[in-house]
């Protein structure tokens, strides 16, 4: 959902500043530095390939104005897509405790994935790359950071067009995959 709302913002070439939210981030990361600026498209790239939770927080803060407003937009979009068994409490998906109110279903993830690949087919440019690098530009200079896609199907499955992996301690390893063969 974070990638979907980022793409819908039509601000992919805009620079996004990593704010204080990233300091509270846990899980996988693209290792953003506080106040580092990166194009929204590069943050989405880090989100899709590496599952960068710091990238998700930077995207949410920028696209939503703040993370809480972004999460509201996520839930509004879920309702608009007919996702009846989903409620977001954050932009990373890391909270896997149903009692907390953060949950989804496989069917709802399929609805969201369909919206993403049909309305924004360019997502395939992000989700089918196996390995690449991004450049961090900070006060200390520029450094290159390697990204490896968490979706191993992009290396081995003929016709793969994406899409995204995820994991939590409760749900374990999850995948929303898409492919195209012979049209």
């Amino acid at each position: 959902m974070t990638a979907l709302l980022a793409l819908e913002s039509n601000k992919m070439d805009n620079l996004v500043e990593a704010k204080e939210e990233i300091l509270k981030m846990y899980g996988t990361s693209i290792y953003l530095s506080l106040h580092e600026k990166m194009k929204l498209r590069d943050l989405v790239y880090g989100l899709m390939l590496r599952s960068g939770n710091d990238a998700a927080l930077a995207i949410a803060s920028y696209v939503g104005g703040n993370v809480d407003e972004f999460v509201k937009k996520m839930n509004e979009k879920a309702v608009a897509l007919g996702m009846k068994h989903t409620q977001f409490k954050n932009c990373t998906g890391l909270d896997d405790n149903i009692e907390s109110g953060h949950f989804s279903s496989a069917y709802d993830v399929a609805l969201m994935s369909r919206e993403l690949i049909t309305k924004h087919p360019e997502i395939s440019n992000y989700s089918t790359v196996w390995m690449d690098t991004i450049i961090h530009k900070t006060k200390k200079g520029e450094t290159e950071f390697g990204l490896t896609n968490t979706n191993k199907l992009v290396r081995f499955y003929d016709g793969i067009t994406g899409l995204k992996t995820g994991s939590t301690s409760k749900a374990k390893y999850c995948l929303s995959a898409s492919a195209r063969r012979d049209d």
Side-chain angles (χ1 to χ4, degrees):
M1 186 63 80
T2 300
L4 177 60
L5 293 179
L7 287 162
E8 286 183 350
S9 76
N10 293 316
K11 299 176 180 179
M12 297 300 280
D13 288 320
N14 291 13
L15 282 177
V16 176
E17 182 177 346
K19 297 185 179 175
E20 289 76 21
E21 292 92 353
I22 68 161
L23 300 176
K24 299 174 191 166
M25 189 280 311
Y26 60 97
T28 55
S29 175
I30 63 169
Y31 299 101
L32 289 172
S33 297
L34 184 61
H35 303 300
E36 178 179 355
K37 293 180 182 175
M38 191 176 282
K39 284 188 178 182
L40 183 58
R41 79 174 55 261
D42 294 332
L43 290 169
V44 173
Y45 200 50
L47 174 75
M48 294 301 293
L49 261 72
R50 172 118 170 114
S51 293
N53 294 310
D54 52 350
L57 287 164
I59 292 166
S61 181
Y62 179 73
V63 173
N66 63 61
V67 174
D68 291 337
E69 285 301 313
F70 186 81
V71 173
K72 286 181 188 175
K73 289 180 184 218
M74 293 172 74
N75 285 309
E76 289 167 3
K77 187 67 175 184
V79 169
L81 293 175
M83 297 169 65
K84 296 178 181 173
H85 303 286
T86 296
Q87 182 171 290
F88 297 105
K89 291 290 185 179
N90 62 58
C91 62
T92 63
L94 288 175
D95 187 345
D96 59 347
N97 181 334
I98 291 176
E99 291 79 21
S100 74
H102 187 96
F103 57 88
S104 192
S105 68
Y107 182 79
D108 284 1
V109 170
L111 292 174
M112 181 174 53
S113 298
R114 180 179 64 192
E115 180 78 3
L116 185 57
I117 63 177
T118 58
K119 299 280 175 63
H120 301 281
E122 68 272 22
I123 195 65
S124 185
N125 298 332
Y126 298 83
S127 62
T128 59
V129 174
W130 172 239
M131 295 178 85
D132 201 356
T133 57
I134 57 173
I135 303 295
H136 286 286
K137 295 178 184 177
T138 65
K139 292 177 183 177
K140 296 179 182 178
E142 293 186 7
T143 56
E144 197 173 84
F145 180 71
L147 300 173
T148 302
N149 200 325
T150 55
N151 181 0
K152 306 294 186 250
L153 288 176
V154 300
R155 287 186 66 198
F156 304 112
Y157 193 82
D158 182 37
I160 192 79
T161 59
L163 194 56
K164 186 72 188 88
T165 63
S167 66
T168 65
S169 61
K170 299 271 190 235
K172 303 300 180 202
Y173 298 101
C174 303
L175 170 68
S176 176
S178 60
R180 171 174 243 123
R181 288 187 186 164
D182 300 323
D183 209 30

